[in-house]
Amino acid sequence: MKDISVPAATAEKSILKALRGETQATPPIWMMRQAGRYLPEYRATRAQAGDFLSLCYNSELAAEVTLQPIRRYGFDAAILFADILLIPDALDADLWFVTGEGPRLSTIEDMSGVTALKGAGDIHDHLAPIYETVRILRRELPEETTLIGFAGAPWTVATYMIAGRGTPDQGPAHKMREEAPEVFDALMARLTEATIEYLSMQIDAGAEVVKLFDSWAGSLKGEAFQRYALEPAKEIIAALKARHPETPIIAFPREAGDGYIGFANATGADCVALDNSVEASWAAAHVQKDGCVQGNLASSHMVTGGQALVNETRAIVDAFRGGPHIFNLGHGITPDADPENVQLMIDTVRST
Ligand code: CP3
């Protein structure tokens, strides 16, 4: 008999096959924000935890909400329930969430703000509950389900730390990178190091894949995109590959447009996640030619449903049929989505 070095159960997971470059008749599927407010069972557990951050740091309940969409829909992957802003929290920036509005943080204004942050190696005590969530999930997930860990990319996390909140145009971060580049670079360096440490610990705890969310990469153009989106991704991926060569990495430079072309090769990512501003046929020709892609149904279809959802889902599956593909939305599902539309999307993907 042939000697297989990878355990059979691991080798059979459809998400891992796609990430290793295999073209499959039916793409595996999961959904950004699949554990979220559109699900009544999520809202109940969140109420039990008290608030969103308490839910993130409660390992048992965070594992429970991660499992809810797996039980309900049988997605091929589970994504760790946490948030990209836990890194600033662990670095000692204050973080709180205002209901109905979003995150608030203490702001980084000058070099003293950066030097007051903790060292990248000192985040693990604070983040220990997250690693525990990962360990619980590896025990409790069905064996065919892949566990994805994640972190925010340095640019996206920096935009929140500099502004102290979400911003429509990331103006304060752009201002700092132009007017105080030494402060900005010091913050980016700290975040890059912390992200490597954090993802490496998630992998040690049992994450089988990690994803880097650069949600605001699209506001970086030209040389700035290379310097603050591409270069940090490359550095983080190189460090993780050196420590964990077998762990696939998904990069999500959201709204990068032409910046998606060559991104996987330039950074070493195993897969590029696509937002829905790019056409699937364009992405098949220009991005999937280099390897696995993930995406990219508009999340608005989860609100509106109907024949348009079915048609667009089929068009995306067809466009990416010639290469490795993981079906997903182009961004997170929204709280006003109808859980029945999620089932319709899954049924359509699996029957197309
Ligand atoms: O995808 C998943 O299900 C995994 C968990 C996850 C969350 N946030 C849970 C969450 C992941 C991967 C994230 C990433 C995240 N967080 C990003 C990058 C991805 C993206 O959506 O662009 C960003 C920018 C954040 C920061 C953040 N967290 C904001 C701006 C907000 C408020 C906006 C909102 O949707 O309410 C959050 C809160 C948040 N993170 C919620 C969830 C389920 C909603 C919190 C609640 O229950 O009230």
Side-chain angles (χ1 to χ4, degrees):
M1 220 177 89
K2 220 171 107 190
D3 177 35
I4 309 169
S5 55
V6 183
T10 306
E12 280 160 13
K13 293 187 183 188
S14 55
I15 295 269
L16 296 177
K17 282 186 186 172
L19 290 168
R20 298 209 165 97
E22 204 174 298
T23 304
Q24 298 172 90
T26 300
I29 178 168
W30 68 281
M31 198 172 68
M32 282 185 266
R33 292 277 172 98
Q34 62 192 22
R37 287 161 291 180
Y38 75 106
L39 289 178
E41 58 269 37
Y42 169 86
R43 295 196 299 268
T45 310
R46 184 175 177 279
Q48 192 188 337
D51 58 39
F52 171 67
L53 270 185
S54 308
L55 178 55
C56 290
Y57 289 118
N58 182 322
S59 310
E60 291 292 338
L61 295 183
E64 166 58 24
V65 294
T66 306
L67 291 164
Q68 286 169 349
I70 308 303
R71 286 189 205 115
R72 188 190 265 258
Y73 299 115
F75 283 114
D76 296 294
I79 182 157
L80 164 70
F81 189 83
D83 197 84
I84 65 163
L85 299 178
L86 301 187
I87 283 263
D89 204 24
L91 288 169
D92 248 4
D94 289 335
L95 170 68
W96 68 102
F97 279 80
V98 179
T99 311
E101 288 187 35
R104 294 287 184 277
L105 300 91
S106 49
T107 55
I108 301 282
E109 280 155 22
D110 50 27
M111 198 58 98
S112 69
V114 180
T115 49
L117 295 172
K118 278 194 181 168
D122 300 328
I123 60 175
H124 297 310
D125 283 351
H126 186 93
L127 295 168
I130 310 308
Y131 311 139
E132 178 59 16
T133 308
V134 172
R135 283 189 289 269
I136 296 171
L137 286 167
R138 270 315 287 281
R139 285 199 302 271
E140 296 194 359
L141 277 168
E143 69 170 20
E144 67 276 13
T145 313
T146 302
L147 178 58
I148 303 176
F150 73 92
W155 161 250
T156 289
V157 175
T159 66
Y160 289 92
M161 293 180 81
I162 295 164
R165 59 192 297 161
T167 45
D169 59 357
Q170 297 75 58
H174 286 292
K175 188 171 186 314
M176 184 186 278
R177 73 173 176 78
E178 276 158 16
E179 292 175 9
E182 67 296 338
V183 178
F184 185 76
D185 287 349
L187 178 59
M188 289 289 285
R190 184 71 55 92
L191 288 171
T192 299
E193 244 187 290
T195 305
I196 293 165
E197 290 298 315
Y198 182 43
L199 290 176
S200 190
M201 287 291 271
Q202 289 184 27
I203 296 168
D204 284 339
E208 298 169 279
V209 174
V210 292
K211 178 171 173 185
L212 201 54
F213 283 86
D214 210 348
S215 301
W216 299 117
S219 78
L220 295 165
K221 302 293 172 205
E223 204 193 308
F225 179 83
Q226 300 293 312
R227 186 158 169 197
Y228 302 120
L230 193 146
E231 283 300 327
K234 183 177 173 184
E235 192 178 334
I236 291 164
I237 292 169
L240 291 173
K241 291 284 180 188
R243 296 189 202 176
H244 311 276
E246 300 299 323
T247 304
I249 301 170
I250 303 172
F252 185 31
R254 190 169 74 90
E255 295 193 352
D258 285 350
Y260 278 124
I261 302 172
F263 196 84
N265 285 342
T267 59
D270 300 274
C271 176
V272 173
L274 303 162
D275 68 84
N276 51 277
S277 71
V278 296
E279 282 291 336
S281 54
W282 175 88
H286 297 284
V287 188
Q288 195 189 29
K289 71 175 180 37
D290 296 331
C292 187
V293 292
Q294 176 179 285
N296 69 338
L297 182 69
S299 50
S300 57
H301 286 293
M302 299 300 99
V303 181
T304 52
Q307 195 57 41
L309 181 166
V310 172
N311 293 346
E312 189 56 24
T313 299
R314 285 191 183 141
I316 290 167
V317 172
D318 281 337
F320 291 125
R321 207 182 270 296
H325 176 216
I326 298 169
F327 195 94
N328 203 309
L329 301 177
H331 200 191
I333 188 169
T334 51
D336 55 346
D338 182 343
E340 288 191 15
N341 290 333
V342 176
Q343 191 63 56
L344 179 59
M345 169 182 71
I346 295 171
D347 292 344
T348 305
V349 169
R350 292 185 174 160
S351 65
T352 296

